Amino acid sequence: MALKALDIFKLTPKKNCKDCGFPTCMAFCMKVASGACEIDKCPHMAQEALDKLSEATAPLMKTFKIGAGQAQYDLGGETVLFRHEKTLVNRNRFAVEFCDFMTEDEINFKLENIKAVNYVRIGEEMKVEIAALRYNSNKESYLNLINKVKESNLALAYMIICEDAQVAKEAKELLKGENPIVYGANKDNYKEMVEVVKNDKLVLGVKASSLEELYSTTEAIQALGYKELLLDATGETIKDTFTNTVQIRRISLKEQDRTFGYPSLVFANKLAKEDSNMEVALSSMFTVKYGSIIVLDYINYAKALPLFALRQNIYTDPQRPMRVETKLYPINNPDENSPVLVTVDFALTYFIIAGEIERSKVPVWLAIPDAGGYSVLTAWAAGKFGGSSIANFIKESGVAEKTKNRDLIIPGKVAVLKGDIEDNLPGWNVIIGTEESMEVPKFLREYKANKESAMA
């Protein structure tokens, strides 16, 4: 249980010196208890008290790092169950599973897919983050598999899936410096598995046949003094797994029980039983509820697009809208005769409008000025999307050098800006576009037809 303000107050030096920035020690302790201030803000706190309080006032869910270099990721640290309560902290990560009985071609197929699915959406790189390496029975093949995946030079974190402590130790040595997860501790072997990971302080994955067994095994590992854990919530059925993920998160955050205060692991590939569509559906569900690592059989664009977009939406601060880069975007291979269409930098608006322009097949230069990340009407009402700002962006973007066409199409909902833009952009013809995005393809096709007819 987290300490209350009075518990913290009993351990403070009670100098009331205001060095921490608060008028009294009790005011400081209340802030610490609420999570709004760190305990080390008090410069007079004894180290022994700091050590005790730091653990007690830490987030109820443990935070740790896995991987190394460009493939280093934070897991855990969540403080709420729902995104609307407070921003979620560390997004879940997707893993692809390999195993020791796979053929060379099967391994290469998965590696090539991982390599191919790597793109940037709204400034974030979308890719598989973890290689889950499962040991079944053939140690030589398993160690060769690890070497092959490592030699692929893909920026991946690693998860060793192995319940044999000796084999796990050898696998760990092959991945020295990579900070891998070692998964495979259970009620029978947890002491041996703790020995494998404790010197390197690696994350230890814990599995069990039931939630009750998982709780007792986790308690036993904690009693050994090891608290870098990842809890496998995967049950025999989808229903069991969903129940496990929710219960682990609720027991940790609502009941404030640190025994379950760790990130969760879900083997979506096991539950899907080789059904690719089911794997995507399950991965989507456990992205929401509450898989910190979700293991897939393999990745391709059909799987990646919905999963990565969903994750990005959920793990974005709802009070800070997603924005695309403010620049000129060529769509449908525009040339010197193509018109310019302008809209805001709110990511959702951009993707909708860009998609409708692509559907029209009409070449267009899409201009995205800085509109504060708001939608069209909100940006206009806030003074972020006005005649002068649009005109200045058109001048500075260099679009006049890319096209001889001087038609500038603006959203129909801000038709009132037409005169102001024309005053600030001499020589440009401002055209009022559609009010709804679905009307954009028809509008652009008619625009193109009228232009060609006028030139004939």
Side-chain angles (χ1 to χ4, degrees):
M1 298 283 287
L3 290 181
K4 296 181 180 179
L6 186 58
D7 299 317
I8 300 170
F9 183 71
K10 290 175 182 177
L11 294 171
T12 60
K14 304 176 188 62
K15 289 181 177 292
N16 286 335
C17 55
K18 301 181 179 58
D19 289 345
C20 61
F22 293 90
T24 66
C25 283
M26 179 53 78
F28 169 68
C29 294
M30 290 175 69
K31 282 294 183 180
V32 172
S34 68
C37 181
E38 297 295 330
I39 189 66
D40 57 11
K41 290 286 185 182
C42 174
H44 307 290
M45 188 75 73
Q47 189 59 47
E48 183 180 351
L50 275 176
D51 293 341
K52 181 177 180 180
L53 291 172
S54 292
E55 182 175 356
T57 58
L60 290 164
M61 180 182 287
K62 182 83 171 177
T63 305
F64 49 70
K65 295 183 184 296
I66 61 168
Q70 293 182 330
Q72 185 178 82
Y73 307 105
D74 291 327
L75 293 179
E78 301 301 341
T79 58
V80 293
L81 287 172
F82 305 107
R83 178 176 179 265
H84 64 263
E85 295 179 282
K86 188 178 179 182
T87 305
L88 298 178
V89 181
N90 292 313
R91 62 195 60 211
N92 66 289
R93 301 296 172 179
F94 294 109
V96 166
E97 183 173 314
F98 298 79
C99 61
D100 56 20
F101 58 70
M102 288 171 56
T103 66
E104 194 86 1
D105 288 342
E106 288 172 330
I107 296 171
N108 289 332
F109 171 76
K110 291 194 176 189
L111 291 173
E112 287 303 316
N113 276 338
I114 291 173
K115 190 180 296 183
V117 182
N118 190 326
Y119 60 96
V120 176
R121 182 180 188 268
I122 319 178
E124 180 185 336
E125 187 177 14
M126 304 294 194
K127 64 175 186 174
V128 172
E129 291 98 355
I130 302 169
L133 307 163
R134 182 179 293 278
Y135 170 72
N136 287 296
S137 58
N138 191 322
K139 185 174 81 170
E140 184 179 352
S141 294
Y142 184 58
L143 299 180
N144 287 338
L145 168 67
I146 294 174
N147 282 325
K148 182 171 179 59
V149 175
K150 187 177 178 182
E151 289 167 3
S152 68
N153 293 321
L154 292 169
L156 294 167
Y158 299 95
M159 180 163 63
I160 297 167
I161 303 176
C162 178
E163 295 177 48
D164 185 318
Q166 186 55 43
V167 176
K169 187 175 181 180
E170 292 184 47
K172 180 195 75 170
E173 291 304 314
L174 292 179
L175 295 171
K176 203 165 189 65
E178 298 290 345
N179 193 27
I181 298 167
V182 178
Y183 165 91
N186 56 44
K187 64 182 178 64
D188 299 317
N189 72 354
Y190 69 88
K191 291 182 181 179
E192 292 82 359
M193 294 300 288
V194 168
E195 289 299 317
V196 172
V197 299
K198 70 177 185 180
N199 289 337
D200 297 308
K201 296 183 179 179
L202 302 178
V203 174
L204 180 62
V206 186
K207 61 176 293 186
S209 59
S210 67
L211 201 61
E212 293 76 13
E213 185 181 298
L214 183 63
Y215 189 91
S216 61
T217 304
T218 304
E219 269 191 322
I221 295 172
Q222 287 180 328
L224 296 175
Y226 206 75
K227 297 182 180 181
E228 302 293 314
L229 305 179
L230 175 69
L231 307 182
D232 183 2
T234 314
E236 290 300 316
T237 66
I238 295 170
K239 179 181 177 182
D240 290 341
T241 306
F242 183 83
T243 300
N244 291 347
T245 57
V246 172
Q247 289 286 23
I248 288 170
R249 187 63 62 93
R250 287 189 65 85
I251 289 170
S252 168
L253 301 185
K254 292 299 182 182
E255 298 182 22
Q256 300 189 357
D257 188 337
R258 292 183 186 271
T259 303
F260 269 172
Y262 302 99
S264 297
L265 167 68
V266 175
F267 287 93
N269 55 342
K270 173 186 172 183
L271 297 171
K273 299 177 180 178
E274 299 184 357
D275 183 334
S276 182
N277 292 328
M278 178 59 77
E279 188 175 82
V280 174
L282 291 174
S283 299
S284 299
M285 178 172 72
F286 290 114
T287 295
V288 179
K289 304 276 187 186
Y290 289 103
S292 298
I293 295 178
I294 298 172
V295 183
L296 308 171
D297 185 42
Y298 71 96
I299 196 73
N300 58 21
Y301 272 107
K303 290 183 179 182
L305 289 172
L307 293 180
F308 291 156
L310 173 65
R311 180 177 70 177
Q312 188 175 54
N313 288 337
I314 290 173
Y315 285 88
T316 300
D317 187 342
Q319 296 181 358
R320 297 177 60 188
M322 289 188 290
R323 305 171 62 178
V324 295
E325 184 180 355
T326 56
K327 66 176 187 179
L328 199 63
Y329 292 84
I331 301 181
N332 296 332
N333 298 314
D335 56 23
E336 62 179 14
N337 297 311
S338 302
V340 181
L341 189 150
V342 65
T343 191
V344 293
D345 58 347
F346 178 41
L348 181 59
T349 300
Y350 165 79
F351 283 113
I352 291 173
I353 295 299
E356 296 297 345
I357 295 173
E358 288 176 1
R359 196 158 66 88
S360 75
K361 305 286 195 264
V362 177
V364 169
W365 295 99
L366 179 59
I368 306 291
D370 183 353
Y374 299 126
S375 61
V376 171
L377 283 179
T378 307
W380 172 70
K384 300 283 188 179
F385 192 61
S388 59
S389 62
I390 293 173
N392 288 337
F393 179 80
I394 295 299
K395 292 174 184 176
E396 295 168 2
S397 67
V399 67
E401 300 168 4
K402 297 179 182 293
T403 178
K404 296 176 182 177
N405 191 323
R406 291 297 180 265
D407 287 341
L408 177 63
I409 302 169
I410 64 172
K413 289 183 176 178
V414 287
V416 67
L417 297 177
K418 175 178 168 65
D420 193 12
I421 296 173
E422 287 180 335
D423 289 343
N424 285 280
L425 275 180
W428 284 80
N429 174 39
V430 177
I431 299 173
I432 298 172
T434 65
E435 292 195 1
E436 301 297 333
S437 59
M438 69 178 71
E439 299 168 356
V440 168
K442 180 174 180 288
F443 174 88
L444 288 177
R445 291 189 197 108
E446 291 178 351
Y447 166 86
K448 183 180 179 183
N450 291 336
K451 270 289 185 180
E452 290 175 347
S453 175
M455 294 174 64

